[in-house]
Amino acid sequence: MSKTNGREKGSAMVIAVLVMAIMSLLGISYLLMADTENKIAENEKLSAQALYFGEGTIREVKRWFDRPPYLASGAKNLVQPTTAVMDRTHRIIDLDGAGTADTGTAADGTALHPYYKVGIDRDGDGNDDIFDKPYRAALADMLVGTEDGPDILIARSANTATATFLDGLRDKIAPSFPSAAGGVLAQIAEIKVYEPPYLSIAGTWTRYGMATVKVTVNIVKTAPSVQIISTRIVKAVLNETPFPGPFGPLQSCNELAFNGNFFPHWGTSTAQTDLNIGNGADNKIPLSLPRVIPPAAKIDTLYGYDNTATWNAMYHTGGSMIGQQIDDPWYRFIIDGTCAQWVPTTSQQPYPPAALPATQDKSNKIQSYGGVGCPTFDYATWKTIAQAGNSDTHYFSWDNGIQYRENGVGAPTDWRVLTDAKQGLFFFDTTDGTAPHDIDPATNLAANLTPEMKVSANYGMQGFLYANTLLFTATGNAGRPATIHFPNEPYRDANANGQYDPGEDWVNLNYNAVVLADDPAFKPSVTAGDAPGALNDAWPLPNGGANAPVYNARGPVLPTQRNAVIWGLLYTAGDFDSQGTPLIYGSVVTYAGTNGLMSGTPDIYWDTDLRDSWPPPGWDLPRVIITRWQTDL
């Protein structure tokens, strides 16, 4: 053996050891990398699970606004939160908007700095109207708290009862999620409801929505002790669903024309162009209370609204209107064009009000107004709402003729079958699934509207029907039962702000003197005492009282049951026609007008709930919508 070979003894073993060490290190590094990747994947999974759970929690809070939990409809929610689990004492009132130097004012329960909805119980059910309308105007009704000082706080750290409530909510939203058997559960840490974001527009901070809902959720290990392994914060901005737009029984974005004995009731009807009511038909339009030309079409300025002496001479004791029976105290017609049957046709108010009217008045007819406007029902907005999966919202794509498919699937079905005896929001799309286009300037009809939708048999729909049809026709049929109530008492809108303010005089109507028979057309009489403190008519009030010195913000329900073809709101992107003797209770808005089609003796009665509190809480229509999400928190 040579000396060289002796020196190389054992080198192979060293190399083998080195190779094994390197391979072992590589193996260990791969294991560590795999473990790290597994942890990253696990963390991403936990984060995603927390995100989905947080979104689900926000959607349930949204439903509390849709169906206030203390009302009968609230039983349909997953849970019914009570005031015992809500803390409203943290409220910081911010009226200037985000981004200003003002940090807000702490609420203290006083009239100047109230807590949110504390002590507000308008329906007299014994519960604060926390999630109920209205959502604005009065400071106690608005959500104006800050993120650090929210209007409503539900925190599991508050007490055991609140933690138990939040766990119960968790079990309804996602029972045993994500793995109760594996000792891993979702957990709601807190729910905050406060002011919406603000945008600076031309230097002025403007509210972007109605409220913000912020939810903090955890994923926790439950054994051997509770350990938070993931946290996620989710925010959403709520806006009022843009119901309803109209402010009267019949509104046209074009012309109106009708013959026969048709006329709308109980509110303001409008047209953006001309009105044609047929020869002699003007005498069939109900007479009303004396009025002057209003500053805006939505504002109802009774004659004498700006003159106390004139008002008192008409409506106070001994006034000229006391004891008179009125065809329709709420009726008005305002058009931007002219009406050939109103004489003189060149006058904006052909029949000026009389200072001391001995008979009923025709001054409620106003033409050449120049600012009627048209209720806006944006196609894209309402299509999005219909497709959002909210409670009782339905989207239908056109298939052929009068047949549609819900969400584009299933067998084509007659639109009447899809809506008859049903309640909800029903959106019927155009022929090509795009917004109405290529509108004919002569008729105001779009090229992609679907064939005529006609009610020709016993039919009744309740809710909001959005129809992209060339023509919607309602004919005489029995309809479905509707609960019809009289409108509020007309009032002296002294500041012309379009709403009744405490202290304003009103026209005291004697609802009890109305002879209803089987028809809601009636002539109520005006009684003495229109100012606060005077005796009111004696129909039962919500609190069970009678002869109370209050203004009737809502009239009594008709004692005779009536059936309606439409109970709620109908919007048609095309023409509207009505024949025979159908009854509609709510409002009809037609984009293309009537094009001379109206005939027969149909009735449209204005439902003032469309203006004051719509949709009704028991109808399961979405009162609020989510307009913005923030999930990257």
Side-chain angles (χ1 to χ4, degrees):
M1 178 183 298
S2 67
K3 294 182 179 179
T4 302
N5 289 338
R7 288 195 300 267
E8 292 178 352
K9 278 185 176 181
S11 61
M13 182 176 294
V14 172
I15 293 172
V17 170
L18 289 174
V19 171
M20 290 180 62
I22 292 171
M23 294 299 292
S24 297
L25 290 173
L26 286 173
I28 293 171
S29 65
Y30 287 145
L31 288 173
L32 291 174
M33 289 174 62
D35 183 61
T36 301
E37 291 294 330
N38 285 336
K39 289 181 178 179
I40 292 173
E42 179 70 13
N43 288 338
E44 288 180 349
K45 182 186 74 171
L46 292 171
S47 179
Q49 290 172 337
L51 171 62
Y52 302 146
F53 180 66
E55 289 179 350
T57 303
I58 282 182
R59 292 186 186 279
E60 178 59 14
V61 175
K62 173 198 174 297
R63 292 188 185 98
W64 298 346
F65 286 95
D66 289 337
R67 300 184 291 239
Y70 32 81
L71 301 181
S73 60
K76 298 179 181 180
N77 296 330
L78 296 180
V79 296
Q80 293 177 277
T82 64
T83 55
V85 299
M86 303 176 200
D87 190 343
R88 290 174 281 169
T89 63
H90 293 274
R91 188 188 205 198
I92 302 296
I93 299 172
D94 177 21
L95 299 178
D96 296 330
T100 66
D102 185 5
T103 57
T105 304
D108 56 13
T110 63
L112 289 178
H113 306 118
Y115 297 121
Y116 178 67
K117 297 281 191 181
V118 169
I120 295 179
D121 180 18
R122 293 182 174 88
D123 55 9
D125 66 352
N127 298 293
D128 288 353
D129 301 339
I130 300 174
F131 297 100
D132 209 351
K133 290 186 173 184
Y135 307 132
R136 55 176 166 240
L139 190 56
D141 290 319
M142 293 179 66
L143 289 154
V144 293
T146 65
E147 186 170 356
D148 294 330
D151 300 280
I152 301 173
L153 173 64
I154 305 177
R156 71 181 304 106
S157 60
N159 50 57
T160 302
T162 304
T164 300
F165 165 77
L166 291 174
D167 287 340
L169 175 57
R170 181 267 319 280
D171 293 339
K172 293 290 186 178
I173 295 173
S176 302
F177 179 80
S179 177
V184 180
L185 280 176
Q187 184 185 81
I188 303 172
E190 66 178 20
I191 299 171
K192 290 183 177 181
V193 184
Y194 53 94
E195 67 183 357
Y198 282 74
L199 297 177
S200 180
I201 301 176
T204 300
W205 287 97
T206 305
R207 289 168 67 92
Y208 180 72
M210 181 201 83
T212 299
V213 179
K214 177 184 176 183
V215 170
T216 303
V217 298
N218 301 320
I219 303 293
V220 301
K221 284 186 176 180
T222 58
S225 61
V226 175
Q227 178 185 357
I228 297 175
I229 54 178
S230 181
T231 297
R232 201 68 186 259
I233 298 173
V234 183
K235 292 182 183 180
V237 177
L238 302 183
N239 243 312
E240 287 189 70
T241 305
F243 293 120
F247 54 94
L250 178 61
Q251 298 188 267
S252 170
C253 302
N254 195 23
E255 51 71 53
L256 279 178
F258 51 84
N259 291 297
N261 290 325
F262 167 78
F263 51 81
H265 307 266
W266 295 0
T268 301
S269 294
T270 64
Q272 283 201 295
T273 58
D274 295 333
L275 171 66
N276 189 332
I277 52 179
N279 294 330
D282 185 45
N283 294 327
K284 299 175 183 178
I285 291 182
L287 302 176
S288 191
L289 299 173
R291 287 174 169 85
V292 297
I293 298 173
K298 290 186 177 182
I299 297 175
D300 190 1
T301 44
L302 299 179
Y303 183 66
Y305 85 98
D306 56 351
N307 188 301
T308 301
T310 300
W311 180 274
N312 290 346
M314 296 171 66
Y315 296 108
H316 276 255
T317 302
S320 59
M321 296 297 294
I322 303 303
Q324 293 206 42
Q325 288 188 321
I326 309 299
D327 283 349
D328 190 334
W330 308 278
Y331 184 82
R332 292 190 304 165
F333 230 122
I334 304 178
I335 60 177
D336 280 342
T338 60
C339 179
Q341 291 76 32
W342 295 349
V343 180
T345 57
T346 56
S347 174
Q348 190 176 21
Q349 192 175 27
Y351 313 101
L356 297 173
T359 59
Q360 295 182 66
D361 193 86
K362 299 172 67 175
S363 60
N364 57 343
K365 303 171 178 63
I366 298 169
Q367 60 187 354
S368 303
Y369 186 72
V372 165
C374 182
T376 301
F377 292 89
D378 180 69
Y379 170 90
T381 298
W382 285 103
K383 183 173 181 176
T384 299
I385 293 172
Q387 294 178 317
N390 293 308
S391 55
D392 278 4
T393 58
H394 306 275
Y395 167 78
F396 301 101
S397 62
W398 181 74
D399 187 272
N400 69 88
I402 59 173
Q403 294 191 320
Y404 296 77
R405 294 185 299 157
E406 185 158 10
N407 298 317
V409 299
T413 306
D414 187 313
W415 75 271
R416 291 165 295 195
V417 175
L418 294 170
T419 56
D420 182 32
K422 294 181 175 66
Q423 170 186 284
L425 186 160
F426 307 97
F427 183 97
F428 289 90
D429 211 343
T430 57
T431 57
D432 57 8
T434 66
H437 56 75
D438 298 325
I439 297 175
D440 185 339
T443 62
N444 228 28
L445 292 171
N448 60 335
L449 299 181
T450 62
E452 176 187 8
M453 300 171 73
K454 185 175 183 178
V455 177
S456 57
N458 192 26
Y459 172 88
M461 187 282 305
Q462 182 178 332
F464 177 24
L465 179 60
Y466 192 119
N468 286 289
T469 178
L470 283 166
L471 172 62
F472 188 98
T473 303
T475 62
N477 64 72
R480 306 292 183 193
T483 303
I484 299 176
H485 69 86
F486 294 121
N488 57 293
E489 290 177 310
Y491 54 91
R492 179 187 172 190
D493 192 1
N495 55 7
N497 66 350
Q499 64 182 28
Y500 174 76
D501 298 310
E504 288 183 331
D505 292 346
W506 67 83
V507 178
N508 198 42
L509 299 179
N510 188 354
Y511 292 105
N512 291 323
V514 176
V515 179
L516 294 172
D518 62 348
D519 193 330
F522 69 101
K523 293 183 178 182
S525 61
V526 177
T527 62
D530 58 287
L535 287 181
N536 203 22
D537 47 275
W539 69 274
L541 299 172
N543 60 6
N547 290 321
V550 296
Y551 163 73
N552 287 327
R554 193 175 193 265
V557 172
L558 266 64
T560 304
Q561 178 69 60
R562 300 285 294 184
N563 294 327
V565 175
I566 303 289
W567 179 10
L569 177 60
L570 167 64
Y571 172 79
T572 172
D575 286 324
F576 174 73
D577 184 18
S578 190
Q579 304 168 8
T581 59
L583 185 148
I584 295 175
Y585 180 50
S587 182
V588 172
V589 178
T590 166
Y591 184 79
T594 59
N595 286 313
L597 295 169
M598 301 284 285
S599 61
T601 57
D603 287 300
I604 304 177
Y605 287 87
W606 167 234
D607 181 1
T608 54
D609 285 346
L610 286 165
R611 175 198 62 207
D612 299 329
S613 180
W614 208 82
W619 281 24
D620 283 351
L621 295 176
R623 287 184 160 196
V624 299
I625 56 176
I626 297 174
T627 54
R628 180 183 175 187
W629 286 94
Q630 188 174 1
T631 60
D632 55 343
L633 297 172

